[in-house]
Amino acid sequence: MLRNIIVIYIFLSSATFFRFTYLPKNLVLLASFGAIVLMVLGIIIDLVYYRGKRFPQKFGGEVGLIFLAIAFSIYGAKWGHDQSFILSIWVLTPMYSYFFYYFLHSIRMKPEDLEKLMIYMGFAFIGLFFIQYMLYPTMLFGVRAQEARGTIRIFIPGGAFAVFVYFLFLQKSFTTGNKVYLLFCLFYLSVPVLQGTRSSIVSLLLGTVIFILFSKKVKSKFLVTILMAMAGMLVFFLFQDIFMALIQVSEEQASQNEEDIRVRAAKFFLTEFYPTNLNYFLGNGQSHMMSAYGMKVFYYKVTYGYYKNDIGIIGEFVKYGVVFVLAVILIFRKFFTLKIESKYGFIKFWAFLLIISEISGGMFQRPTAIIVITSIMYIYDISNFKLKNKAPPTEVIKSD
């Protein structure tokens, strides 16, 4: 029970407690930092008292490379942009969420319990999103919210949990025959539609189609494809105004003669932004507004509309360098090559969607996504161990 409480606290901190407006910002930041400290303490205690009883870590090297890239980026920010080590270390706090992978191994949590808690977070995200949508313009959360593209665009953190649950329930709907699971999928599918995010809509639909076509859990693929097409038509008619507004935005952007803002930002950050050639390897680090480096990055945002977070994996490369990108590639390789139990087959399709999201949105630098990714890594470790040993690893995974 205690482990579940600690993990749900870490989940909530990764989503900055959904940014409730009634929670003081400083308290949220302190609680989020406290989650990192808690993870580090758990890892240290495990190393001291339970050495030799640890469970095989298939992704330990890759996560280690990510921390090496983070360390390099601190030096990159100092040598390339004269940002102090203290500021760089502090502003990188969200990236320390990768400790969660080692922490899960230290507390030896049962994958079933971890999965259950992720489901709770997925439901919480969906519920809170629709509550906020209905209450707008009254804001319960201190998040970006605006009326545009024929809808109310609200961006509450925590969606990474819902994506995991989406593919889990998509598989359960076919394996159990219980179509109630599809209700959650439809509710979640409506979130990117209501947010008016074209890339999220397309990537989620593409991931769903790939799942239907290639998952061994789907028996009658033709029938399911027909049903999905009908469901898609229904969604289109329900949200027709939003889709028409999105089409209009796309046409307006396509008619512009100048390059897309993201293309221009990518070109700038890959060329003019670099102070030295060494920074191509080390990265430029994460900027902080209390430094001249942070003010310079802010100037590029407000003057030119250049955001590193908008250019996906290129932005991650600019911040964290070559080693970080290498680690991401190796992680994806293991997601598709390591053997896992058939009940986790949906994770392969989740990983496919993650690739698309990583290229366009840089998911490996977002705290909530990091927590979900490291949770999946841990599930992989457990499942792969079971397959190799033909038995549950009861000696290392205990009940509370």
Side-chain angles (χ1 to χ4, degrees), residues 37-319:
V37 174
L38 185 62
M39 286 188 277
V40 173
L41 287 176
I43 295 168
I44 293 174
I45 292 172
D46 178 64
L47 289 172
V48 172
Y49 291 100
Y50 299 100
R51 184 177 300 175
K53 297 181 180 179
R54 276 178 293 165
F55 173 63
Q57 299 177 355
K58 295 295 184 180
F59 294 89
E62 286 77 8
V63 176
L65 281 177
I66 286 178
F67 279 114
L68 180 62
I70 292 171
F72 282 161
S73 74
I74 293 172
Y75 284 95
K78 176 63 178 176
W79 294 336
H81 303 276
D82 199 32
Q83 179 169 277
S84 72
F85 289 127
I86 298 298
L87 282 180
S88 293
I89 291 171
W90 170 252
V91 78
L92 283 167
T93 297
M95 297 299 292
Y96 305 146
S97 298
Y98 280 102
F99 278 120
F100 190 60
Y101 173 72
Y102 299 122
F103 178 74
L104 285 173
H105 277 278
S106 71
I107 63 174
R108 297 160 177 81
M109 189 167 192
K110 295 174 67 176
E112 295 80 10
D113 292 340
L114 182 62
E115 183 181 295
K116 188 184 300 181
L117 296 180
M118 294 172 75
I119 291 173
Y120 292 158
M121 288 294 294
F123 272 95
F125 170 81
I126 295 294
L128 293 174
F129 175 85
F130 281 103
I131 290 172
Q132 178 59 87
Y133 193 90
M134 290 184 291
L135 292 179
Y136 183 85
T138 300
M139 293 298 297
L140 298 178
F141 308 95
V143 298
R144 172 187 167 195
Q146 62 181 122
E147 295 183 41
R149 302 182 181 182
T151 183
I152 304 170
R153 309 188 71 197
I154 300 173
F155 297 90
I156 298 173
F161 292 104
V163 176
F164 170 81
V165 180
Y166 175 86
F167 282 97
L168 170 62
F169 280 10
L170 198 60
Q171 177 170 285
K172 283 183 176 292
S173 66
F174 293 113
T175 55
T176 65
N178 189 345
K179 302 309 177 186
V180 172
Y181 291 112
L182 287 178
L183 288 177
F184 176 91
C185 297
L186 290 173
F187 272 113
Y188 178 68
L189 185 59
S190 66
V191 170
V193 174
L194 292 174
Q195 289 176 332
T197 50
R198 291 164 294 175
S199 59
S200 296
I201 296 170
V202 172
S203 60
L204 188 60
L205 289 176
L206 179 60
T208 304
V209 170
I210 296 296
F211 176 88
I212 293 171
L213 293 178
F214 295 98
S215 176
K216 295 179 181 179
K217 303 297 182 181
V218 181
K219 304 302 180 182
S220 179
K221 299 184 186 299
F222 177 76
L223 178 60
V224 171
T225 302
I226 295 298
L227 292 175
M228 288 296 296
M230 294 173 63
M233 293 176 62
L234 177 62
V235 170
F236 177 81
F237 284 115
L238 287 175
F239 302 104
Q240 184 176 4
D241 293 340
I242 298 175
F243 282 114
M244 295 307 295
L246 290 175
I247 293 172
Q248 182 178 355
V249 169
S250 299
E251 290 176 345
E252 290 175 355
Q253 292 179 345
S255 64
Q256 295 177 356
N257 294 324
E258 60 181 12
E259 285 184 312
D260 181 79
I261 184 65
R262 288 182 173 84
V263 175
R264 283 185 281 134
K267 287 182 177 180
F268 171 78
F269 283 120
L270 286 174
T271 54
E272 300 176 47
F273 183 73
Y274 278 85
T276 68
N277 289 332
L278 183 60
N279 283 91
Y280 280 98
F281 178 78
L282 296 177
N284 294 278
Q286 178 68 281
S287 61
H288 193 287
M289 285 294 291
M290 289 185 66
S291 71
Y293 177 33
M295 294 302 295
K296 181 170 63 175
V297 172
F298 180 73
Y299 170 79
Y300 297 141
K301 291 178 182 178
V302 297
T303 305
Y304 304 108
Y306 294 164
Y307 291 82
K308 281 181 280 188
N309 289 342
D310 283 352
I311 53 178
I313 195 171
I314 294 177
E316 292 177 342
F317 169 72
V318 172
K319 290 181 184 179

